[in-house]
Amino acid sequence: MRLEKCWFCSSTVYPGHGIQFVRNDAKIFRFCRSKCHKNFKMKRNPRKVKWTKAYRRLHGKDMTQDSTFEFERKRNRPERYDRNIAENTLKAIKKIDKIRSDRASDHIKNRLKTGKIQRQKEARKQLEQDIHLVKAPLALAQDSSLRLPKIKVNVSQTQTEENQAMEE
């Protein structure tokens, strides 16, 4: 059973499913559903459509380079069936799937870590600004560590002739 990839969204197209489009130059395009086929006919770029695999890889939302992807490559060379090799292959597939899922979850955690740090900074800044809402005013007056340092700004009072004329 040959599983093809959708040209637009890179999802799997099972036998008997999807749409196949053959261009005049004999290039074959396979689509998993009419949504992908319609977007192709509208000449949309898969790298700019947010729900496609190409967009997710281009913008760092999915893993792009990993050694486990080597096992998923399409091989056109037929292999002679051997029960031992098939058994070992099935065991290896399970291990590879586990490794890939672990690496994908690590990738997601690392990707979301920056947003978490940013949210913590914003929360800390807001807490510093609105500490009077959390602590009682008397407690703020007694404990100087809870107050923000006051900054003195010197403003020069030089006025030009034009400003004096406008004031009069």
Side-chain angles (χ1 to χ4, degrees), residues 88-133:
N88 292 339
T89 304
L90 290 174
K91 287 179 184 176
I93 287 173
K94 290 178 184 175
K95 289 179 185 177
I96 292 167
D97 282 341
K98 186 178 183 323
I99 291 168
R100 183 182 294 159
S101 64
D102 291 344
R103 288 182 182 174
S105 64
D106 290 344
H107 175 75
I108 290 170
K109 284 179 186 174
N110 290 336
R111 192 169 55 87
L112 296 178
K113 192 182 292 183
T114 58
K116 185 177 181 181
I117 292 168
Q118 183 69 24
R119 284 192 302 274
Q120 287 175 347
K121 283 182 182 176
E122 289 173 3
R124 204 173 294 122
K125 183 178 178 183
Q126 186 176 6
L127 183 63
E128 287 176 359
Q129 290 175 349
D130 299 333
I131 190 71
H132 65 279
L133 298 173

Side-chain angles (χ1 to χ4, degrees), residues 46-106:
R47 289 172 290 184
K48 293 183 180 178
V49 181
K50 290 191 173 188
W51 51 268
T52 62
K53 265 295 204 218
Y55 177 90
R56 293 186 61 78
R57 285 189 179 141
L58 185 68
H59 290 85
K61 297 184 184 301
D62 279 347
M63 288 191 305
T64 54
Q65 294 180 354
D66 192 26
S67 59
T68 58
F69 293 141
E70 285 293 314
F71 297 104
E72 198 174 305
R73 278 187 316 176
K74 185 173 161 184
R75 293 170 185 84
N76 288 324
R77 190 179 68 230
E79 293 284 333
R80 181 172 283 248
Y81 178 76
D82 183 12
R83 179 175 280 188
N84 293 330
I85 293 174
E87 185 179 327
N88 292 339
T89 304
L90 290 174
K91 287 179 184 176
I93 287 173
K94 290 178 184 175
K95 289 179 185 177
I96 292 167
D97 282 341
K98 186 178 183 323
I99 291 168
R100 183 182 294 159
S101 64
D102 291 344
R103 288 182 182 174
S105 64
D106 290 344

Side-chain angles (χ1 to χ4, degrees), residues 4 16-17 24-25 37-38 41 43 60 75 83 87 91 93 121 131 139 142-143 147 156 160 164 167:
E4 304 289 344
H17 292 262
N24 287 341
D25 61 352
H37 188 222
K38 288 175 185 174
K41 287 194 291 187
K43 297 185 178 182
R75 293 170 185 84
R83 179 175 280 188
E87 185 179 327
K91 287 179 184 176
I93 287 173
K121 283 182 182 176
I131 190 71
Q142 293 171 356
D143 190 5
R147 287 182 293 203
S156 61
T160 60
Q164 289 176 355
E167 289 180 2

Side-chain angles (χ1 to χ4, degrees), residues 157-168:
Q157 293 285 335
T158 58
Q159 292 181 345
T160 60
E161 295 175 8
E162 294 173 11
N163 288 345
Q164 289 176 355
M166 293 176 105
E167 289 180 2
E168 294 175 357

